[in-house]
Amino acid sequence: MKKSITIKELSKLLDVSISTVSKALNDSHEISPATKKRIQDTAKLYNYKPNRIAVHLKSGKANTIGVVLPSIKNFFLARALRGIESVIAKTDYNIIISITNESYEKEVKSIQTLANGFVDAIIIAVSEETQIKQDFTHLKNVQDDVHLLMFDRVVQSIDCDKVVVDEYEAIFNAVKELQSKGRKNIALASTINNLSVGKLRTKGYLAAIEGIQESILIEGSEGAVENEVLSLIEAQKIDAIIALDEEASLASFRIGKKKEVLSNGKLSLIGYAGTKISEHLTPSLTTINQHGKRVGRTAAELLLKKLNKPLKDPELLTVNSSLYVRETS
Amino acid sequence: MKKSITIKELSKLLDVSISTVSKALNDSHEISPATKKRIQDTAKLYNYKPNRIAVHLKSGKANTIGVVLPSIKNFFLARALRGIESVIAKTDYNIIISITNESYEKEVKSIQTLANGFVDAIIIAVSEETQIKQDFTHLKNVQDDVHLLMFDRVVQSIDCDKVVVDEYEAIFNAVKELQSKGRKNIALASTINNLSVGKLRTKGYLAAIEGIQESILIEGSEGAVENEVLSLIEAQKIDAIIALDEEASLASFRIGKKKEVLSNGKLSLIGYAGTKISEHLTPSLTTINQHGKRVGRTAAELLLKKLNKPLKDPELLTVNSSLYVRETS
DNA sequence: CTGTTAGCGCCTTCAC
DNA sequence: GTGAAGGCGCTAACAG
């Protein structure tokens, strides 16, 4: 930790002015080739690197994009992150990630850390706690400082660019698919009824069963879902489950497997889960795939576009999901 | 994006000096309660927030720790990250994460982004490509600017704080465990023979079979491992596999399952994989658990300690892993 | 109690 | 072709 050399020190060393060094290092035409070389050489020798903080303060541009995620355990968010990265990597922007662990407080802190100078723009998927609390002032305020883009977990009342998934339609279609196969008692299992996306999916389910069957809602913690699924199966009240998230999907799967109704066609199960685990389950799990990577790419591309011409109105882009039919349906 | 208000603007607005505003906002005792309130009130009104970049440039302290990870798909690294966060969250440091996707180039870029002013310290697990390339100059140089701590994927030749897992012993013990159960033809499957940790694990394996059996090394891509496992099983050349990473574990699992040797005791399998998937496999997978979260916590705690008194010599801490015996062994 | 000044590291007119 | 000066937003002596 001997601290990098500065332009000032370099100027003293070479007995030239600070501005000469600066210009030489920026390859200005105002400096003679001779001194330019002399300066650049010693700069290299001393391993000079411009202090980004100073450059940033001076230029007012961070050249950095902040990505705020509630979790990275979440396979969808992890894929979305990769999508974002794959796009940003081709530009001269840097990416900085902050994880909120679904906490409101951490989200506020993250946003403030990033916004006040660190980054030019923020891509965020709002945390669960924030969506429960319904307090979005930190998100509103941050728009003063940086360009804001939300994806997946989106706040309606905030006017900014957004990229979402066709939650409603995806579930609606999945239910229709089950119905077309003769399923008449389709339950919905969810541990994410606090999330905007969870609510949208539930609406899609309700719309699809409208006039066909009564709704069977299984909501709560992973354990609660397990218990309720168990009693519903034992009472033979259901012949299919749509699970809205990985926890609910695996909980339903475990019970279905234990009760031996998954392989013999007594119970269909469509869930949300990562490809790897879905394929390795026995029987393998039919899932709704939200194309996280594409969502991330779309978000990053939209952001870059807006960063270039910030004038335009906010946009809302939707990425369609698709059903990956495997053995449980 | 109307740009946050600055102290200067505030001072003009209130017709006091810049430093008075600064002091008032920092709750200095030098300022009279009356003006202090007046200033703080209008600051709040205009939603003033200090520009962190300027504070940072001034103080020379970023109050931020950078975490550089090769991947977040990797369950161990994801858990380690959570461990790091859980410790840092209790301090007033912020965390900033950068993902290298196992790329040397991205690692260099990440380090440079972070080091030149952004952060006070860097916690890194080196990327695969870097370990193949064996070019560590960027890591050596960065030590001029920030405190460096490596974990898991560690570079021997660099003198810094390190937190590692007992790779050698863990495998050694796992092999001994298999041998004690009568296994005589234990193969090693790995897609990570490029990594330092992979090499260490292989050494542990070789030491454990020394004088007992010939080594059976299955190395390469996930597909290559699949093929080789298949032919070894068909030739009845092996009765156990130790797989060094999730890909090799799942590849071995798939083949073992397909050939129906996993449930009837013909083939034992010990792997590395996340708890969730390991438990959901049928049969469930015996794994070596490296306690990623504890590794992360240990790393963060060590770093904080060093950040307080930077004088002391680098330390090397080891976190022991444990065997989670499930159905495949 | 309030204000002036200097400076963090860099870049950028504007003089010379 | 080179250098001096000012300023990005903020803090911290030091004066008053």
Side-chain angles (χ1 to χ4, degrees):
Chain A
M1 285 264 274
K2 38 183 174 193
K3 273 292 149 226
S4 299
I5 196 166
T6 70
I7 285 194
K8 196 183 188 178
E9 291 164 340
L10 231 34
S11 82
K12 229 167 256 168
L13 228 58
L14 291 159
D15 206 36
V16 289
S17 82
I18 290 178
S19 57
T20 305
V21 177
S22 170
K23 286 171 187 166
L25 292 175
N26 287 311
D27 210 23
S28 160
H29 48 276
E30 301 183 22
I31 307 295
S32 74
T35 49
K36 206 188 272 184
K37 180 163 181 356
R38 201 166 66 96
I39 292 173
Q40 288 175 348
D41 284 355
T42 52
K44 203 157 294 163
L45 183 65
Y46 285 91
N47 192 27
Y48 169 82
K49 272 173 267 143
N51 182 318
R52 292 189 79 235
I53 294 295
V55 172
H56 179 179
L57 182 60
K58 181 76 198 158
S59 70
K61 213 176 169 270
N63 244 279
T64 305
I65 290 170
V67 180
V68 180
L69 299 178
S71 156
I72 48 162
K73 282 199 315 185
N74 184 310
F75 64 96
F76 168 73
L77 293 174
R79 297 235 80 207
L81 176 57
R82 301 205 112 208
I84 293 170
E85 285 185 314
S86 70
V87 170
I88 303 296
K90 290 177 201 141
T91 71
D92 58 345
Y93 281 100
N94 289 104
I95 283 194
I96 263 176
I97 303 153
S98 189
I99 312 286
T100 63
N101 285 326
E102 304 286 9
S103 142
Y104 168 80
E105 205 184 328
K106 275 196 98 178
E107 185 174 292
V108 173
K109 200 178 164 194
S110 291
I111 297 257
Q112 269 163 7
T113 306
L114 295 177
N116 266 252
F118 262 71
V119 300
D120 303 314
I122 289 181
I123 298 181
I124 186 174
V126 178
S127 82
E128 177 171 6
E129 214 187 330
T130 304
Q131 292 207 335
I132 296 173
K133 217 177 160 98
Q134 293 275 315
D135 182 350
F136 307 125
T137 38
H138 59 298
L139 295 169
K140 256 174 200 132
N141 287 338
V142 82
Q143 290 192 87
D144 295 350
D145 301 316
V146 301
H147 194 98
L148 185 67
L149 184 150
M150 298 188 183
F151 79 97
D152 189 49
R153 317 262 198 91
V154 148
V155 176
Q156 270 225 310
S157 61
I158 292 187
D159 193 38
C160 66
D161 288 304
K162 294 170 189 171
V163 175
V164 296
V165 173
D166 62 337
E167 310 288 359
Y168 180 95
E169 294 77 8
I171 292 283
F172 187 91
N173 294 336
V175 173
K176 287 298 166 200
E177 163 88 9
L178 287 172
Q179 289 170 340
S180 78
K181 289 191 176 158
R183 299 297 167 176
K184 299 201 164 20
N185 297 294
I186 304 169
L188 183 89
S190 167
T191 74
I192 55 164
N193 31 10
N194 290 319
L195 295 182
S196 56
V197 292
K199 288 174 184 145
L200 275 174
R201 290 176 200 169
T202 303
K203 274 188 196 161
Y205 162 78
L206 292 173
I209 60 163
E210 174 90 59
I212 299 178
Q213 64 162 88
E214 293 294 303
S215 71
I216 310 171
L217 297 175
I218 310 169
E219 292 175 339
S221 68
E222 186 165 355
V225 169
E226 267 192 329
N227 291 335
E228 219 170 324
V229 168
L230 181 60
S231 52
L232 283 167
I233 290 178
E234 286 179 341
Q236 302 193 17
K237 290 238 168 80
I238 57 175
D239 55 14
I241 300 176
I242 297 237
L244 300 195
D245 57 287
E246 187 166 281
E247 291 186 5
S249 302
L250 292 179
S252 305
F253 180 88
R254 284 193 300 271
I255 301 301
K257 175 150 186 169
K258 195 161 141 196
K259 302 305 287 181
E260 299 180 341
V261 289
L262 235 33
S263 311
N264 55 11
K266 286 198 178 149
L267 183 78
S268 293
L269 175 60
I270 298 182
Y272 283 81
T275 306
K276 196 196 295 168
I277 197 164
S278 303
E279 288 179 347
H280 276 92
L281 293 174
T282 321
S284 62
L285 178 67
T286 293
T287 58
I288 293 173
N289 187 316
Q290 302 183 103
H291 304 297
K293 201 161 181 183
R294 191 183 307 157
V295 170
R297 277 205 310 265
T298 308
E301 278 158 7
L302 178 56
L303 181 65
L304 289 175
K305 190 176 103 186
K306 290 308 178 71
L307 244 25
N308 286 334
K309 28 187 159 183
L311 326 157
K312 297 179 68 182
D313 282 342
E315 285 178 56
L316 171 64
L317 266 40
T318 303
V319 175
N320 290 330
S321 35
S322 34
L323 190 67
Y324 281 15
V325 178
R326 299 200 184 83
E327 293 166 7
T328 60
S329 80
Chain B
M1 284 265 274
K2 36 183 178 191
K3 271 293 148 229
S4 300
I5 196 167
T6 69
I7 283 194
K8 197 183 187 178
E9 291 163 339
L10 233 33
S11 81
K12 230 167 255 168
L13 228 58
L14 291 159
D15 205 39
V16 290
S17 83
I18 291 179
S19 59
T20 304
V21 177
S22 170
K23 286 172 188 165
L25 292 174
N26 287 312
D27 209 25
S28 160
H29 49 277
E30 303 182 21
I31 307 294
S32 76
T35 49
K36 205 188 273 185
K37 181 164 181 1
R38 202 167 66 96
I39 292 172
Q40 288 175 349
D41 284 354
T42 52
K44 204 157 291 164
L45 182 67
Y46 284 91
N47 193 27
Y48 169 81
K49 270 173 267 140
N51 182 318
R52 292 191 78 236
I53 294 295
V55 173
H56 179 178
L57 181 60
K58 178 71 197 166
S59 69
K61 214 181 168 262
N63 243 281
T64 305
I65 291 171
V67 180
V68 180
L69 299 178
S71 156
I72 48 163
K73 283 197 315 187
N74 184 309
F75 65 96
F76 168 73
L77 293 174
R79 298 236 79 207
L81 177 56
R82 302 206 109 208
I84 293 170
E85 285 185 314
S86 70
V87 170
I88 302 296
K90 291 179 200 140
T91 72
D92 58 345
Y93 280 100
N94 290 103
I95 283 193
I96 264 175
I97 303 154
S98 190
I99 311 286
T100 63
N101 286 326
E102 304 285 9
S103 142
Y104 168 80
E105 205 183 328
K106 277 196 94 178
E107 184 172 294
V108 173
K109 200 179 163 192
S110 292
I111 296 259
Q112 270 163 5
T113 305
L114 295 177
N116 264 252
F118 262 70
V119 300
D120 303 314
I122 289 180
I123 299 181
I124 187 175
V126 178
S127 83
E128 177 171 7
E129 213 186 332
T130 305
Q131 291 207 335
I132 295 172
K133 215 177 160 102
Q134 293 274 316
D135 181 350
F136 308 124
T137 38
H138 58 299
L139 295 169
K140 259 179 196 126
N141 288 338
V142 83
Q143 290 192 87
D144 295 351
D145 299 317
V146 301
H147 194 99
L148 185 67
L149 184 149
M150 298 187 183
F151 79 97
D152 190 49
R153 316 264 198 90
V154 148
V155 176
Q156 271 226 311
S157 62
I158 291 188
D159 193 38
C160 67
D161 288 304
K162 292 170 191 170
V163 174
V164 296
V165 172
D166 61 338
E167 311 287 359
Y168 180 95
E169 294 79 7
I171 293 284
F172 187 91
N173 294 335
V175 173
K176 286 298 167 199
E177 163 88 8
L178 288 172
Q179 289 170 338
S180 77
K181 289 190 177 160
R183 300 296 167 177
K184 300 201 162 18
N185 297 295
I186 305 169
L188 183 89
S190 167
T191 74
I192 55 165
N193 31 13
N194 288 319
L195 296 181
S196 56
V197 292
K199 289 176 183 143
L200 274 174
R201 291 175 200 170
T202 304
K203 273 188 196 161
Y205 162 79
L206 291 173
I209 59 163
E210 173 92 58
I212 298 176
Q213 63 162 90
E214 293 295 302
S215 70
I216 309 170
L217 298 175
I218 309 169
E219 292 174 340
S221 69
E222 186 166 354
V225 169
E226 266 192 330
N227 291 336
E228 217 169 323
V229 168
L230 180 61
S231 53
L232 283 167
I233 289 178
E234 286 179 341
Q236 301 192 19
K237 288 239 169 81
I238 56 175
D239 55 13
I241 300 176
I242 296 239
L244 300 194
D245 58 287
E246 187 166 280
E247 291 185 6
S249 301
L250 293 178
S252 305
F253 179 89
R254 285 192 300 271
I255 302 301
K257 176 152 187 167
K258 194 163 145 197
K259 303 305 287 181
E260 299 180 340
V261 289
L262 235 33
S263 310
N264 56 10
K266 284 197 178 152
L267 183 76
S268 293
L269 175 59
I270 297 181
Y272 282 81
T275 306
K276 194 195 296 168
I277 197 164
S278 303
E279 288 180 347
H280 277 92
L281 293 174
T282 320
S284 62
L285 177 68
T286 293
T287 57
I288 293 172
N289 187 316
Q290 300 182 104
H291 305 297
K293 202 159 181 187
R294 190 182 307 158
V295 170
R297 279 205 307 266
T298 308
E301 278 158 6
L302 177 56
L303 181 64
L304 289 175
K305 189 176 107 186
K306 288 310 178 71
L307 244 27
N308 286 334
K309 28 188 160 184
L311 328 156
K312 296 180 69 183
D313 282 343
E315 287 179 54
L316 171 64
L317 265 40
T318 303
V319 175
N320 290 330
S321 35
S322 34
L323 190 67
Y324 282 15
V325 178
R326 300 199 184 82
E327 294 167 6
T328 59
S329 80

